Amino acid sequence: MRYNKRKLNFMIFFTIFLICITVGLGTADFSGSIGSSDAEPGDEIVDDGEVVVPPDEDLSGDVGDGSQPGSGESGGGQTSNNYQNIPELTVKFNNAWTVWNYAIQMDEKYKSYVSFYQTIKGEAAGYPVSVDVILKRDIYKDISQVYVVNNAKTNINVLEGFIDVGNGKNYTSYTCFDAQNNLVTTPDHKTTMDEYYAGHHVFTYELPYIINQNTVSSAYLTSNYKKSYYEVTFVLNSKAWANYAYAVKGEIGGKDLPSFSSITVTAKISKQYGTFISISATENYSINYEYGAINANASCQSNLTMSFNYFSNFDSNVGKIKDIIGIK
C-alpha cells in the first residue's frame, strides 16, 4: 500500500496537534467561579430524568464519594459523621436559583473534598485519528486554601495503529491555592493568584464556567418527593464559557477559539443540608487548525462530574499533600 507523503506528514503533524489538545486539557486549570452566581430567582419547574453520574474512582484512598449523611445516596466513604456540625435545612426550596445560591454559600462556608472526573473524546473528521482522555482530580477545600492533586491518562489511536504514538502523556501534579495570601504553590514553583489567573484565565478547583443570570439561557428545578436531593439544570450561553474558551486555546493552540455548540450543567443538592452532592456537565465543541492549505477540524465531547463530600475529615490527606509540595 502506498501513502501520499504530504498527507502522511500532515497526519503526523495533526496527531501531534491532537496530543496537544488532550495533554493541554489535562494540564489546564479549567475553572470559572462556582460562587459567581448572582442571578435573581424566576425559573420554570420541570420534572425530568435523573442524571447518570460516572463511577467515582476514589483517588484519595479514604474519603469516598460526595454522598450526604442520611440523604439516601449510596456512599462508599466515611460519611456517617457530620463532623462539621452542618445544620439541617428547615425550609423547602421551589426555585432553581434560590437552592443553587444556598448551596454556593454552604460551599464557601464549610470544608469539603471534591472528586473531579472528566472524559474527553476527540475525532478528526476525514482522518482516522481518535483520542480518549480521562482526567481525575482530588480537590481539598480548606476554606482559604485549596489543595489539588491532578491525574491524567491519554490514549491515542492513529491509522488503526499504523503510526505508533504510544499512550500520550500520563502525569500527576500537586498544587496549593492560597487565596488569603494570594499565592499558588507547586513542588517547584510559586506565583501569585493574580498572575496565575492572568496566565490561565481559570483555576483548577472550580467549575470551568461562570454561572449567573447573564450566562444562563434557561434554569430548571426538579424536586421529586421520592428523591433526597434537588436537581438544578442550567443551559449555558456563550458568556458562561468566555474565559474557558481562552484557557483551552492557550493550551492547545488552533487558528481560532474553540467553538462551543452547547454546555449543560446539572447539580444535585441535598434536601437535608442544602449542600452540593454533585455537579455534572456535558460539553460539545470543535476547534479548527490551519496547516498550509489544509484546514482540519476536530470535534470534541466532554463529560465531567464533581462529587462533593462535606462530612469526612480529610486533614490527614491535606497533610500528605503539604509534605509533597513542601508547605509547613
Side-chain angles (χ1 to χ4, degrees):
M1 181 180 294
R2 297 179 61 190
Y3 286 88
N4 182 284
K5 182 177 181 181
R6 182 179 179 184
K7 185 169 183 178
L8 181 59
N9 287 340
F10 171 72
M11 289 300 303
I12 296 173
F13 187 91
F14 187 67
T15 299
I16 296 173
F17 162 67
L18 284 180
I19 295 173
C20 291
I21 290 179
T22 57
V23 174
L25 287 173
T27 57
D29 292 320
F30 294 156
S31 70
S33 179
I34 288 183
S36 63
S37 175
D38 57 10
E40 297 298 326
D43 311 295
E44 289 184 64
I45 298 178
V46 299
D47 188 5
D48 50 18
E50 184 174 355
V51 174
V52 177
V53 179
D56 174 30
E57 297 185 28
D58 182 11
L59 301 181
S60 66
D62 60 5
V63 174
D65 61 17
S67 55
Q68 319 292 306
S71 70
E73 295 291 290
S74 61
Q78 301 173 7
T79 56
S80 59
N81 296 318
N82 183 356
Y83 86 103
Q84 296 190 98
N85 295 317
I86 299 176
E88 296 190 13
L89 283 175
T90 58
V91 297
K92 293 183 178 180
F93 296 110
N94 59 10
N95 178 275
W97 286 114
T98 303
V99 65
W100 172 265
N101 288 333
Y102 187 89
I104 292 295
Q105 294 173 13
M106 297 295 283
D107 188 64
E108 293 173 347
K109 185 176 181 179
Y110 293 98
K111 296 180 179 181
S112 66
Y113 162 71
V114 182
S115 175
F116 180 103
Y117 181 93
Q118 183 176 22
T119 59
I120 302 167
K121 292 185 176 294
E123 297 285 346
Y127 298 93
V129 179
S130 63
V131 182
D132 295 297
V133 183
I134 296 178
L135 305 177
K136 298 178 183 179
R137 293 183 188 135
D138 291 310
I139 303 169
Y140 300 90
K141 296 185 178 181
D142 195 8
I143 310 301
S144 64
Q145 294 179 326
V146 182
Y147 299 87
V148 180
V149 182
N150 217 13
N151 293 270
K153 294 182 179 180
T154 304
N155 294 306
I156 303 169
N157 188 299
V158 180
L159 291 176
E160 298 182 350
F162 178 75
I163 299 177
D164 184 8
V165 294
N167 290 323
K169 182 179 180 181
N170 301 333
Y171 71 93
T172 300
S173 64
Y174 301 84
T175 309
C176 173
F177 297 89
D178 187 345
Q180 184 173 354
N181 295 305
N182 191 27
L183 188 64
V184 179
T185 305
T186 66
D188 56 3
H189 184 68
K190 289 185 179 181
T191 187
T192 67
M193 295 280 287
D194 299 330
E195 290 171 341
Y196 184 93
Y197 188 83
H200 293 79
H201 300 280
V202 291
F203 291 118
T204 302
Y205 54 88
E206 295 180 323
L207 197 64
Y209 330 109
I210 298 172
I211 296 180
N212 58 46
Q213 62 181 344
N214 296 317
T215 65
V216 172
S217 297
S218 55
Y220 306 93
L221 173 67
T222 301
S223 180
N224 189 323
Y225 74 94
K226 294 182 179 180
K227 301 292 184 180
S228 59
Y229 54 83
Y230 297 101
E231 188 170 276
V232 175
T233 301
F234 294 127
V235 179
L236 308 186
N237 61 42
S238 59
K239 295 178 182 178
W241 58 72
N243 289 345
Y244 182 43
Y246 279 100
V248 173
K249 184 179 186 299
E251 292 291 337
I252 68 175
K255 179 182 177 182
D256 306 301
L257 290 174
S259 177
F260 288 85
S261 56
S262 66
I263 296 181
T264 301
V265 175
T266 301
K268 291 182 179 180
I269 299 170
S270 169
K271 289 182 178 178
Q272 185 174 3
Y273 295 100
T275 50
F276 286 116
I277 295 175
S278 67
I279 299 176
S280 59
T282 300
E283 307 171 354
N284 290 283
Y285 59 92
S286 63
I287 185 162
N288 189 60
Y289 189 82
E290 188 176 74
Y291 179 69
I294 301 175
N295 283 300
N297 188 275
S299 297
C300 301
Q301 183 178 62
S302 170
N303 295 282
L304 70 85
T305 296
M306 300 172 70
S307 299
F308 293 73
N309 187 334
Y310 301 89
F311 300 93
S312 295
N313 191 326
F314 49 79
D315 289 347
S316 62
N317 302 73
V318 171
K320 294 176 183 177
I321 298 172
K322 284 184 175 179
D323 289 341
I324 294 172
I325 297 176
I327 298 175
K328 296 182 179 180

